[in-house]
Amino acid sequence: MTPGWLIVLAAALLPWSTKLPLVTSDPGRAYVTTPLVLWLAILLGGVALWIGQRDRWLGAFAGWWVLEFLLHPALRQFETVEAIVLGSAALCWVREVDQAWHPQLKALLIWSAGLQVGWFWMQSLGVDWTWAGWGPFTEAPRPHGTFGNAKYLAASLAMVLPLAGMAGSCWLLSGLLGTASTLGLGAGLIGWISHRRTRGRWSLGLVAVTPLLFLLHHGGWPAILASGQTRWEYWSVGLRELHPHEWVIGAGPGMWMEHAAQLPIGRVPALEGFPIWMHSDVLQVCYEGGLVAVLIAGAWLWTHRAMWRGPWRGSAAAVGLLSLAFMPFHLITTGVVALVVLGCATTKEET
């Protein structure tokens, strides 16, 4: 079945959908809103079907969220599902980039990240001409490049670090140290170590983790413990709030953002207020999409397990580690980098 058939069926069946109490029980509103919601679901379902013809489990993942939208037909839910489905399509598009261009693609990511580090250190000197002219840097409490948050910059640098050579790695590592993000630094260094295939890579790894130990020793432990405790409280309390059936099918796309402020935990400075994201993409998939979404994602990872041995394995490892305790896929600036990494890592030529 091709996506075009969905459109043909929609033309025949949508006029009959106005009697369904899908969105509202008001007949006057149902004549407009019910066909609209179903039409949006059909369009996203068509994209998911197109994805499934190229990657079975990725298409199933996108299709599951389309079904979730039908169970929760609201604006925030549509925005979430739209981002997931189109992001899955974007991953397929990245795979269509000829492998011969991968070296240039890596260079583009490395140079962009390197310029971000330069911007970061310029801000550290108190200068940023974008918002305040050539005046002092005052737009945020800490330097962050152009990401708006030092942790976001650290996540992006961590995904690119394994791709860089020795000189580039040192420069990106300086930026990671400057952000003081232990998670970003740890993910970047583990990715960098796993990228090396030399016989002595583990002895090289011991040298690589020295900056991480240095960061932990100089005031890092209290912040790490506070952040970790806060994450654990939000994760455990949030998951306990799920009803039994929601463990299977999830609470619904985008529902964490609506539930977070209602959790029985006050405002916590370690996460700068109520987290509108769960600070774990893996757990947020579980919370919003249930174990069904987690199992589909696991099946996708299994079918593409060769990426952990391919030329992009270090960056893929960094993406995986960040997804456990951060939300790289919920931020466009980091999510697109992650999609490029996974798209290139799962091409047939690379694996």
Side-chain angles (χ1 to χ4, degrees):
M1 185 177 186
T2 62
W5 277 104
L6 294 178
I7 310 303
V8 174
L9 291 175
L13 299 178
L14 280 181
W16 298 93
S17 69
T18 57
K19 298 298 183 179
L20 298 175
L22 180 63
V23 183
T24 177
S25 58
D26 181 356
R29 294 180 57 200
Y31 289 123
V32 175
T33 55
T34 301
L36 174 61
V37 167
L38 289 175
W39 172 241
L40 294 175
I42 288 170
L43 289 177
L44 292 177
V47 178
L49 181 60
W50 178 87
I51 295 169
Q53 292 170 350
R54 287 149 182 80
D55 187 320
R56 179 178 56 185
W57 288 111
L58 186 61
F61 185 75
W64 173 249
W65 290 102
V66 175
L67 294 177
E68 288 277 354
F69 171 58
L70 289 175
L71 295 175
H72 306 273
L75 179 59
R76 187 187 302 280
Q77 283 62 45
F78 171 72
E79 292 172 343
T80 302
V81 174
E82 179 187 35
I84 293 173
V85 173
L86 294 182
S88 300
L91 194 151
C92 292
W93 297 335
V94 171
R95 289 178 184 164
E96 296 178 359
V97 176
D98 195 316
Q99 184 194 8
W101 287 96
H102 280 197
Q104 288 79 7
L105 194 153
K106 291 180 181 179
L108 180 62
L109 293 178
I110 294 167
W111 274 97
S112 178
L115 291 173
Q116 285 288 342
V117 173
W119 203 281
F120 171 88
W121 289 120
M122 181 181 71
Q123 292 173 338
S124 300
L125 296 175
V127 179
D128 188 330
W129 57 269
T130 51
W131 290 106
W134 284 103
F137 172 68
T138 58
E139 67 182 66
R142 295 175 55 194
H144 53 69
T146 62
F147 281 78
N149 188 309
K151 295 177 182 178
Y152 304 167
L153 171 61
S156 180
L157 295 178
M159 292 184 281
V160 179
L161 176 66
L163 303 175
M166 187 58 66
S169 296
C170 292
W171 178 243
L172 298 183
L173 183 59
S174 74
L176 273 171
L177 284 170
T179 64
S181 170
T182 308
L183 177 62
L185 183 59
L189 290 175
I190 291 175
W192 187 85
I193 294 169
S194 63
H195 186 75
R196 269 61 192 171
R197 277 182 169 170
T198 58
R199 184 174 298 177
R201 68 173 180 172
W202 292 112
S203 59
L204 191 64
L206 294 176
V207 178
V209 300
T210 302
L212 179 60
L213 298 175
F214 178 82
L215 180 61
L216 293 175
H217 179 69
H218 286 77
W221 284 115
I224 293 171
L225 292 176
S227 180
Q229 181 180 6
T230 303
R231 281 174 165 82
W232 177 256
E233 289 178 350
Y234 269 100
W235 295 341
S236 58
V237 172
L239 292 175
R240 282 202 305 268
E241 293 291 316
L242 288 176
H243 298 291
H245 73 277
E246 290 176 337
W247 276 98
V248 180
I249 65 173
M255 293 303 291
W256 170 263
M257 188 177 293
E258 297 185 6
H259 293 170
Q262 303 171 9
L263 294 178
I265 299 178
R267 173 175 163 75
V268 182
L271 290 183
E272 301 171 1
F274 296 111
I276 60 175
W277 300 299
M278 207 169 179
H279 282 67
S280 170
D281 280 343
V282 174
L283 289 181
Q284 190 153 353
V285 166
C286 180
Y287 185 91
E288 297 183 351
L291 293 176
V292 173
V294 173
L295 290 175
I296 294 174
W300 182 84
L301 288 173
W302 175 255
T303 58
H304 294 288
R305 60 191 179 277
M307 69 177 171
W308 308 115
R309 301 187 298 272
W312 294 77
R313 59 189 175 279
S315 292
V319 171
L321 289 170
L322 289 169
S323 298
L324 292 175
F326 193 63
M327 60 286 184
F329 288 101
H330 280 81
L331 300 164
I332 296 301
T333 47
T334 57
V336 177
V337 176
L339 286 177
V340 170
V341 167
L342 294 183
C344 291
T346 56
T347 57
K348 291 182 180 180
E349 294 85 355
E350 292 286 32
T351 56

